[in-house]
Amino acid sequence: MPRTGDSMRGLAVFIADIRNCKSREQEKKRINKELANIRSKFKGDKQLDGYQKKKYVCKLLFIFLLGNDVDFGHMEAVDLLASNKYTEKQIGYLFISVMMHHSNDLYKLVIQAIKNDLSSKDPVHICLALTCIANIGTPEMAEEIGDEVPKILTSPDTLHGVKKCAALCLLRLFELKSDKFIHAELSSRLIALLSDQHLGVVTSACSLIQALVTANTVEYKGCVSLAVSRLSRIVSSTDLKDYMYYFIAAPWLSVKLLRLLQSYGQPTDSAVYERLKESLETILNRATDPPKSKKIQHTNAKNAVLFEAINLIIHYDSDAALMVRSCNLLGGFLNSKETNLRYLALESLTKLAVSDFSRKAVMKHQETVVQALKNERDLSVRQRAVDLLYAMCDRDQAEEIVGELLAYLEKADYSIREELVLKIAILAEKFAQDYKWYVDVVLNLIRIAGDYIADEVWYRVTQIVINRDDIQAYAAKTVFEALQAPTCHENMVKVGAYILGEFGNLIAGDERSGPIVQFKLLHSMFHLCSNQTKYILLSTYIKLINLFPEIKGDIEEVLGNDNQLRNSDAEIQQRAMEYTKLSQIASSDLLATVLEEMPQFTERESSLLAKLKKKSNTLVKERDDGDNTSLQNVELSSAPVDVGGSSLLDLESPSGTAEIPEPALESGTPQDSPVLNNYSAPPAAVAAAPPAPAAEPSLLDMFGGAPPATDPTKVQVVTGLIECNEAAQPNFKAFICSRNNGILFENEIIQIGVKSEFTGFEGKLQVFYGNKSPLPLQGFNTTLFISPKDQPSLRLEGQKVTLLISAGAQIPQTIKATAVAAFGETPLLQISFSAAGTAHTMVLRLPLLVNKFCKGTGMGAQDFFMRWKNLNLPAQECQKVFKASRPMDNDLVKGKVQGFGFQVLEGVDPKPDNLVGAGIIVCEGSQVGCLLRLEPSKPAQMYRMTVRSSREGVPELLVNLLSQDL
Amino acid sequence: MIKAALIFNNHGKPRLTKFFTYYTEEMQQQIIRETFLLLSKREDSVCNFLEGGTLIGGSDFRLVYRHYATLYFVFCVDSSESELGILDLIQVFVETLDRCFENVCELDLIFHMDKVHYILQEIVMGGMVVETNQTEILTHIEAQQRIEKQEAGMGGAPARALSAAKSMAPNVNLPKLADLQNISLPSFKKL
């Protein structure tokens, strides 16, 4: 027995010495002395025998365990591998697997030693080698020894002790070089291991197969039925001899098998599933049996199997009865004395709460879970309770659950507060029936846990207030009251400043919250705040000037104060300076335009969810599929819609700065802080300038910048009507048929050209702006307009252009168009800039016409007439008789029709002058066939054009377009 | 998968460390310290698993541990393992140690670190459970010990000679054996 052997007295003495050391220094000294001793022994001339080497290597292991670097002894350990004594080999392998990294030069020798041992006749040597590979396998080993291991594993002569090691060894090699071990022959033999007589072999094989299954699910599908039958045999047996663990039959193997089954869906073979279901039911039944032993190990093992069975039931998510039973069992555990059980029960219930089958059953335990939140002593259990409440919350329970979570937040551990805040904010937003309640909840959050409010949380509340007219007054009132509290968190100041700046007027009627009161209240916080908040406050002040001209004097005094104008922070200086000037110079109308109310926010994914996902665990992931409901869908019907991606809300970076590339301002301030365009303050504060002032070029001049488009790289696409002077584009007709490239517009200042390409339902336009004047064009900005009628049919996305075009320069702009359906109007491009102090605005039609997406198609006469006749509804046809605007030359007309997009069909119409064509308009997700007949009457200089199409409205569109150019 | 098996005492002194995934020595020590800090704060009544520290992989990993008298037994596992199963595995490990050392205590682990490693090796290999049946584990260990005895019989002569010599030299104070490094052993060999 180890204790009695005095085999390595030197080691024992050394350890005793170390233990007797009184101080860290003494210990260090003793260790260094020993290291020096061992080193000299290793280097010495005297040949050390195996025993000595073993002893020294053991000492090194001990020294290493104490946290000291050991940088020698590897060679001696490798020597021990080659020894023919088991104990020496054993310690050699131990040293290598604990201390050696495979970058070591000696690794080749190790591999050689392993090879030798694998081919040994002695099973204990083979096991040592296999264990070593399993522990520290390397790709080289997989390469050199990889073929041996499967042979050992599947050979009928191998002892089961060796097989176990071989299975885990193969698992390691497979992880290192998976392609080497995937072939059908091997897989069937490996699956067969699940039926091995020896349960230890099955346990290891189960781990191996689990890994293989993830890489090759189909090939290992056969393991399901074997696993089910193995499980069934274990569950139904009462005596597995040595594999009974405190009266439970092979709990680990059962757990492994149940895990393995979770790699697949429910078995399709009903016999297999019935058998599995029987086992699962037995496991559930046993949970309520009286325990066969009072020992904790007994219940532990029993429950380990039970939890895994429940996991499998959840994984299948198909059997309502089993799921509800699981819920009830787990609910029982919530009151267990065992903390472990409560923890695991909460965790499993969280998974069950997501399923429709068991949702209701989980809800029954809400009361208990809330109690757990209040009384549980273990933080990690409380956290699971929070997760569960978050998962089971629905519209009906939201107020109660959020209330409980808020109460918990007050005493929650600091480490989990931020996550808790996010969860509460998400629930409140998602299930809000009354948005006043939502506002209250978030303000409460800020009050209780101001320090743990992620910026996203307060951005979100301001966005929602902006998007919902009905709560703006309430929000203003509530936040005003909150600000009156004796202590008030800075985040509250931010929200307050923002909301009062936008909606302070809604509560100004009451003299207790009159204009000057609001301003004084906000300004009383100013000196306590960080610079970030001061920026927001300054913006709020200028907004207040707009809302309440009567307090202009008071505010100007603050803005013009040296504390601001000569502040050490450049941003504060600049804001104060520019706002002062704005207030002094601008007329009240202009001010009202600049500081117009914020437009509504659009949104794709809630930034809160994104944040929570980043922050935390899997539990959240299971919830978020359904999360794009409610507020996110508060759709924003009117007003500008920003295209192509990140709205203000998708702020990943903490500063949230939208980087709009633009030149420095006249004031010569650094590029990164031009006021009104590019706030380095949180994005919600960008509000000061409304995004629709294209009609105010003079204003733009004043600030030398463009209105802030919400996405820095995209131009604004506006759905709306705008007047277009068609006379400005006399040559536009040329774009209808044939031309894709050409000059769109030209005057003495600017030349605008276009190049376009169309493939399928997508089009790419390149617009070139050339500055013909000797001066730079400043404040250059473009906006795209789509007629409201066409809004769903056409999608546009335009790249932003630079703000400045220097004299003689030309800049390109790419616009991508997607035809969703046939659209009627040409999209318009509004261009504004100032040249030599004069503002110019022009609106141009883009040569983006529905026929550009039309592709000619050929067919025979019979086919044509059959189709023509089938399209006999009145709405499917449009006919127009019109006067020719050009010479009626047959070839010319044919060219036009072809350029328009139809294929001219020869020999269909008996009259040679008549022209027949067919085409398909390709849209995203649909194709619209169109047929054309054009009958010229040369004497009358008239055409009769008839277009039929399967889609209503399309014939008119085409007739109107084509007739313009004939 | 089990990423690491650690044993340390109430003061954080490591008694066994076995990593099944490669970490540098420096990192190993940091992980041990971090784990100790996480666990030492916990009362005995709280649950036996918690999210792993940031060094070992954060919340994707769990620490499953048991606290016996002066020792913490900690297994760091990923999500593919059952917490209760691992808890029982620790129990099997400890029971096996107890059988091998007859009422195992911290000192046994200190002085027979190699043996503890070998026992662990019979239970966990490459991060996977290899055997859970205690009888089988003990059979293996006993077989190893038999081999060891045999080999000691053949090659243990010098060691036994040394200890015999020590017992023959009454004036040598054994605990100070370390001072006797200069005794030239070859002369004993001739005995």
Side-chain angles (χ1 to χ4, degrees):
Chain A
M1 285 289 120
R3 178 172 282 192
T4 52
D6 58 347
S7 50
M8 287 194 276
R9 185 173 286 268
L11 174 67
V13 170
F14 169 62
I15 294 172
D17 269 7
I18 294 285
R19 286 175 52 77
N20 288 334
C21 287
K22 297 279 185 300
S23 66
R24 185 95 188 128
E25 288 72 40
Q26 213 180 347
E27 183 185 305
K28 197 89 205 162
K29 219 167 133 191
R30 179 67 186 89
I31 286 173
N32 286 337
K33 187 172 153 197
E34 191 63 38
L35 282 174
N37 171 37
I38 299 173
R39 206 188 291 266
S40 73
K41 284 283 186 316
F42 282 164
K43 279 199 185 143
D45 309 327
K46 270 181 290 166
Q47 189 71 36
L48 297 176
D49 62 19
Y51 163 76
Q52 286 166 311
K53 279 187 195 159
K54 189 172 119 183
K55 180 176 76 180
Y56 293 132
V57 164
C58 239
K59 281 184 181 177
L60 289 179
L61 272 172
F62 185 77
I63 291 172
F64 179 78
L65 176 71
L66 293 177
N68 301 282
D69 263 355
V70 172
D71 54 2
F72 65 101
H74 301 78
M75 192 58 219
E76 284 68 24
V78 172
D79 282 351
L80 286 173
L81 294 185
S83 160
N84 52 8
K85 280 189 192 155
Y86 177 74
T87 44
E88 287 170 14
K89 233 182 226 313
Q90 199 182 20
I91 196 100
Y93 274 120
L94 178 60
F95 183 91
I96 285 165
S97 61
V98 171
M99 317 236 295
M100 202 149 136
H101 183 232
H102 59 76
S103 58
N104 197 300
D105 301 336
L106 296 172
Y107 238 71
K108 285 218 172 68
L109 295 174
V110 174
I111 293 180
Q112 191 50 49
I114 289 175
K115 263 188 179 168
N116 293 343
D117 282 336
L118 280 183
S119 53
S120 151
K121 292 223 163 43
D122 193 343
V124 287
H125 290 192
I126 302 180
C127 279
L128 277 181
L130 289 171
T131 310
C132 179
I133 305 173
N135 284 336
I136 55 157
T138 63
E140 298 82 56
M141 288 185 187
E143 206 50 64
E144 296 209 19
I145 314 165
D147 298 328
E148 279 308 303
V149 182
K151 274 186 217 154
I152 296 174
L153 178 57
T154 53
S155 155
D157 305 329
T158 312
L159 296 173
H160 63 246
V162 180
K163 264 192 192 175
K164 286 189 301 194
C165 301
L168 294 179
C169 175
L170 184 57
L171 165 59
R172 177 65 174 228
L173 296 178
F174 170 75
E175 280 166 356
L176 292 165
K177 258 193 137 46
S178 49
D179 45 332
K180 201 173 161 77
F181 303 102
I182 294 185
H183 44 88
E185 194 208 354
L186 183 60
S187 56
S188 62
R189 301 179 89 170
L190 293 182
I191 292 173
L193 288 173
L194 286 178
S195 326
D196 197 283
Q197 288 176 329
H198 192 273
L199 288 186
V201 174
V202 183
T203 311
S204 324
C206 217
S207 301
L208 171 63
I209 292 171
Q210 176 88 63
L212 291 162
V213 158
T214 39
N216 196 346
T217 323
V218 183
E219 196 164 317
Y220 281 86
K221 203 160 181 7
C223 73
V224 172
S225 60
L226 282 184
V228 168
S229 69
R230 189 91 223 190
L231 179 72
S232 151
R233 269 183 287 159
I234 295 173
V235 170
S236 57
S237 75
T238 46
D239 187 17
L240 278 177
K241 300 210 173 66
D242 291 338
Y243 282 87
M244 292 305 282
Y245 175 80
Y246 291 91
F247 303 101
I248 304 296
W252 289 277
L253 182 52
S254 309
V255 166
K256 286 247 173 236
L257 289 168
L258 287 162
R259 279 272 156 132
L260 178 60
L261 288 172
Q262 286 171 52
S263 309
Y264 291 93
Q266 191 167 322
T268 40
D269 183 337
S270 61
V272 174
Y273 181 62
E274 278 312 310
R275 195 162 180 198
L276 174 60
K277 196 176 164 188
E278 214 171 276
S279 306
L280 292 174
E281 275 166 351
T282 316
I283 295 171
L284 292 188
N285 289 340
R286 280 200 191 142
T288 44
D289 286 354
K292 289 185 185 148
S293 154
K294 285 209 175 91
K295 284 255 169 70
I296 178 76
Q297 286 80 5
H298 170 71
T299 40
N300 253 357
K302 187 160 94 172
N303 291 328
V305 179
L306 174 67
F307 277 109
E308 217 46 64
I310 291 177
N311 278 342
L312 183 63
I313 292 170
I314 297 172
H315 172 74
Y316 288 155
D317 196 5
S318 63
D319 190 322
L322 283 179
M323 291 184 83
V324 170
R325 271 191 74 189
S326 309
C327 272
N328 296 340
L329 279 174
L330 294 172
F333 287 151
L334 291 180
N335 295 317
S336 156
K337 277 194 207 117
E338 269 290 296
T339 318
N340 295 339
L341 284 186
R342 296 198 299 272
Y343 179 98
L344 292 173
L346 287 168
E347 196 175 60
S348 294
L349 280 171
T350 308
K351 293 185 208 153
L352 282 165
V354 190
S355 164
D356 292 336
F357 292 114
S358 44
R359 198 178 180 77
K360 284 224 170 64
V362 176
M363 303 280 263
K364 277 194 291 190
H365 304 294
Q366 186 178 328
E367 192 55 36
T368 326
V369 182
V370 169
Q371 283 308 315
L373 200 58
K374 286 181 180 151
N375 304 329
E376 190 62 63
R377 289 176 63 200
D378 186 341
L379 168 67
S380 52
V381 182
R382 288 198 299 271
Q383 239 173 310
R384 292 292 88 82
V386 170
D387 289 342
L388 176 54
L389 285 175
Y390 177 73
M392 71 199 244
C393 190
D394 66 4
R395 199 164 284 270
D396 300 329
Q397 300 302 318
E399 293 209 13
E400 190 183 336
I401 289 180
V402 167
E404 293 295 348
L405 291 176
L406 271 174
Y408 174 54
L409 178 62
E410 296 203 44
K411 48 184 185 170
D413 195 90
Y414 296 116
S415 60
I416 61 168
R417 283 196 176 190
E418 186 174 349
E419 189 183 319
L420 193 58
V421 164
L422 278 174
K423 284 187 169 156
I424 296 174
I426 289 170
L427 289 180
E429 176 184 329
K430 190 172 166 187
F431 297 117
Q433 283 159 317
D434 176 0
Y435 280 90
K436 289 180 180 167
W437 173 72
Y438 168 75
V439 171
D440 285 341
V441 168
V442 176
L443 293 185
N444 260 330
L445 280 180
I446 299 175
R447 222 186 333 256
I448 297 170
D451 284 339
Y452 302 92
I453 302 289
D455 281 343
E456 285 85 350
V457 174
W458 79 263
Y459 295 168
R460 193 75 191 128
V461 70
T462 57
Q463 287 157 10
I464 286 170
V465 169
I466 283 167
N467 285 1
R468 300 197 62 96
D469 307 345
D470 51 334
I471 51 163
Q472 286 161 356
Y474 179 78
K477 180 166 162 285
T478 323
V479 81
F480 178 78
E481 282 162 6
L483 286 175
Q484 284 174 315
T487 54
C488 180
H489 195 271
E490 187 164 338
N491 279 326
M492 188 70 90
V493 179
K494 290 180 186 169
V495 179
Y498 192 83
I499 289 183
L500 291 181
E502 289 290 321
F503 308 113
N505 54 331
L506 299 177
I507 55 165
D510 187 335
E511 64 184 40
R512 282 168 299 173
S513 54
I516 191 71
V517 186
Q518 286 183 32
F519 172 66
K520 289 231 163 102
L521 179 62
L522 285 173
H523 195 57
S524 67
M525 326 264 181
F526 189 85
H527 64 287
L528 300 169
C529 292
S530 69
N531 285 347
Q532 286 296 325
T533 312
K534 285 181 180 169
Y535 306 154
I536 300 173
L537 280 168
L538 288 174
S539 295
T540 300
Y541 296 165
I542 185 76
K543 290 191 224 170
L544 289 179
I545 292 185
N546 174 42
L547 294 178
F548 313 120
E550 63 269 33
I551 56 167
K552 187 172 171 174
D554 299 270
I555 296 178
E556 276 181 353
E557 197 178 304
V558 169
L559 289 177
N561 191 305
D562 274 356
N563 282 338
Q564 275 69 260
L565 288 181
R566 299 193 177 176
N567 196 293
S568 60
D569 185 87
E571 175 88 27
I572 290 182
Q573 274 187 32
Q574 191 179 3
R575 287 195 189 217
M577 165 66 95
E578 296 188 10
Y579 291 154
T580 310
K581 288 291 170 210
L582 180 63
S583 155
Q584 286 165 354
I585 296 167
S587 68
S588 60
D589 282 352
L590 181 56
L591 203 59
T593 319
V594 178
L595 301 167
E596 202 177 339
E597 201 173 284
M598 276 297 281
Q600 301 219 326
F601 286 88
T602 52
E603 166 147 39
R604 275 155 197 85
E605 186 197 14
S606 163
S607 49
L608 290 185
L609 276 173
K611 168 99 180 167
L612 184 61
K613 251 186 262 173
K614 246 198 298 182
K615 248 192 104 56
S616 70
N617 48 41
T618 49
L619 297 170
V620 184
K621 288 174 201 141
E622 287 158 19
R623 278 229 76 169
D624 51 328
D625 25 11
D627 271 334
N628 285 331
T629 52
S630 83
L631 281 187
Q632 284 90 307
N633 294 350
V634 176
E635 226 5 278
L636 318 143
S637 43
S638 63
V641 175
D642 71 306
V643 278
S646 56
S647 61
L648 287 173
L649 318 177
D650 291 337
L651 291 155
E652 300 285 40
S653 66
S655 72
T657 312
E659 286 171 37
I660 306 171
E662 57 195 323
L665 296 180
E666 307 143 353
S667 53
T669 46
Q671 180 135 359
D672 60 352
S673 57
V675 178
L676 284 188
N677 297 326
N678 183 6
Y679 284 63
S680 52
V686 181
E696 294 284 350
S698 57
L699 181 68
L700 292 173
D701 265 6
M702 198 156 90
F703 293 101
T710 32
D711 182 311
T713 60
K714 301 281 159 60
V715 297
Q716 251 190 338
V717 178
V718 174
T719 308
L721 292 170
I722 188 166
E723 270 196 29
C724 168
N725 177 10
E726 299 200 1
Q729 290 170 278
N731 296 324
F732 188 74
K733 274 185 192 168
F735 285 102
I736 298 176
C737 299
S738 71
R739 265 175 82 179
N740 279 339
N741 308 331
I743 302 292
L744 205 57
F745 174 82
E746 186 162 17
N747 62 14
E748 63 284 359
I749 302 170
I750 192 167
Q751 183 195 55
I752 302 172
V754 69
K755 258 182 163 177
S756 47
E757 269 174 53
F758 296 89
T759 35
F761 54 83
E762 282 171 322
K764 192 174 134 193
L765 267 73
Q766 276 214 295
V767 185
F768 296 90
Y769 305 96
N771 181 0
K772 288 166 71 184
S773 73
L775 291 167
L777 306 183
Q778 288 175 326
F780 199 86
N781 186 43
T782 57
T783 311
L784 290 164
F785 285 84
I786 304 180
S787 142
K789 275 191 289 180
D790 289 330
Q791 202 270 329
S793 325
L794 180 66
R795 266 206 317 272
L796 286 183
E797 198 176 277
Q799 186 194 42
K800 201 162 178 67
V801 289
T802 52
L803 285 169
L804 190 113
I805 306 178
S806 32
Q810 189 187 50
I811 55 161
Q813 176 183 34
T814 310
I815 297 170
K816 283 188 189 149
T818 311
V820 183
F823 53 91
E825 307 275 349
T826 357
L828 300 177
L829 173 68
Q830 185 192 51
I831 301 142
S832 54
F833 56 89
S834 67
T838 326
H840 297 265
T841 303
M842 56 195 66
V843 178
L844 300 175
R845 285 189 286 170
L846 279 177
L848 234 166
L849 305 156
V850 67
N851 64 295
K852 299 287 181 195
F853 299 95
C854 185
K855 203 174 67 190
T857 176
M859 59 180 75
Q862 207 183 350
D863 207 353
F864 179 85
F865 282 112
M866 200 184 74
R867 284 167 198 253
W868 184 266
K869 277 179 199 140
N870 281 341
L871 298 168
N872 53 5
L873 295 175
Q876 291 176 331
E877 191 198 74
C878 175
Q879 194 169 67
K880 187 174 178 183
V881 179
F882 59 93
K883 201 157 177 65
S885 57
R886 293 167 192 275
M888 296 177 75
D889 177 76
N890 277 2
D891 285 339
L892 188 85
V893 172
K894 200 167 139 189
K896 289 269 178 206
V897 170
Q898 267 168 345
F900 185 81
F902 283 112
Q903 176 165 340
V904 174
L905 304 175
E906 302 287 356
V908 172
D909 201 306
K911 269 179 88 178
D913 279 351
N914 286 3
L915 202 141
V916 169
I920 296 171
I921 299 177
V922 186
C923 302
E924 197 188 30
S926 69
Q927 299 200 331
V928 184
C930 310
L931 303 173
L932 165 84
R933 287 182 85 179
L934 186 65
E935 298 152 275
S937 154
K938 283 188 180 158
Q941 286 287 301
M942 298 283 274
Y943 287 104
R944 181 165 74 182
M945 185 196 287
T946 319
V947 172
R948 286 188 178 184
S949 160
S950 54
R951 188 69 48 88
E952 275 184 40
V954 173
E956 283 84 345
L957 291 177
L958 297 182
V959 165
N960 288 337
L961 276 174
L962 184 54
S963 59
Q964 284 180 36
D965 202 25
L966 285 174
Chain B
M1 183 193 168
I2 299 165
K3 251 194 159 179
L6 310 173
I7 305 177
F8 44 75
N9 71 4
N10 289 348
H11 307 288
K13 271 242 182 274
R15 294 307 177 204
L16 171 103
T17 59
K18 175 81 187 169
F19 288 83
F20 295 102
T21 314
Y22 175 75
Y23 291 100
T24 60
E25 286 138 43
E26 175 70 26
M27 195 65 176
Q28 291 187 9
Q29 291 301 323
Q30 283 180 9
I31 289 174
I32 295 164
R33 272 197 297 276
E34 188 191 39
T35 311
F36 172 69
L37 284 177
L38 281 171
L39 296 189
S40 57
K41 286 184 296 198
R42 294 172 71 86
E43 299 166 47
D44 278 351
S45 65
V46 302
C47 83
N48 294 95
F49 7 94
L50 66 155
E51 282 180 4
T54 47
L55 294 176
I56 201 148
S59 56
D60 291 341
F61 291 88
R62 287 215 171 143
L63 301 174
V64 181
Y65 74 101
R66 269 191 188 284
H67 188 193
Y68 296 89
T70 61
L71 293 173
Y72 284 94
F73 285 70
V74 192
F75 280 28
C76 175
V77 300
D78 68 9
S79 58
S80 71
E81 301 287 344
S82 147
E83 288 91 346
L84 288 177
I86 293 294
L87 215 47
D88 281 339
L89 197 67
I90 296 178
Q91 179 69 20
V92 170
F93 182 34
V94 175
E95 283 181 21
T96 311
L97 288 173
D98 204 47
R99 295 275 286 278
C100 290
F101 291 107
E102 292 149 29
N103 283 325
V104 67
C105 67
E106 191 179 341
L107 278 180
D108 293 318
L109 304 193
I110 298 171
F111 284 98
H112 302 285
M113 185 192 53
D114 48 338
K115 299 282 185 304
V116 180
H117 267 289
Y118 300 147
I119 293 168
L120 179 66
Q121 228 160 58
E122 292 299 323
I123 300 173
V124 184
M125 181 184 294
M128 293 291 168
V129 181
V130 63
E131 186 55 75
T132 54
N133 169 1
Q134 221 180 82
T135 324
E136 171 125 357
I137 298 168
L138 284 170
T139 321
H140 275 245
I141 302 280
E142 277 157 16
Q144 280 174 22
Q145 280 162 357
R146 265 200 308 281
I147 300 175
E148 191 181 343
K149 270 190 186 157
Q150 275 171 16
E151 288 180 351
M154 296 184 299
R160 273 178 289 127
L162 175 59
S163 65
K166 279 172 203 153
S167 58
M168 282 187 295
N171 53 344
V172 175
N173 195 351
L174 276 188
K176 289 186 187 163
L177 191 70
D179 301 336
L180 300 179
Q181 279 165 1
N182 297 330
I183 290 179
S184 68
L185 290 181
S187 62
F188 285 104
K189 263 187 182 168
K190 285 172 195 157
L191 283 174

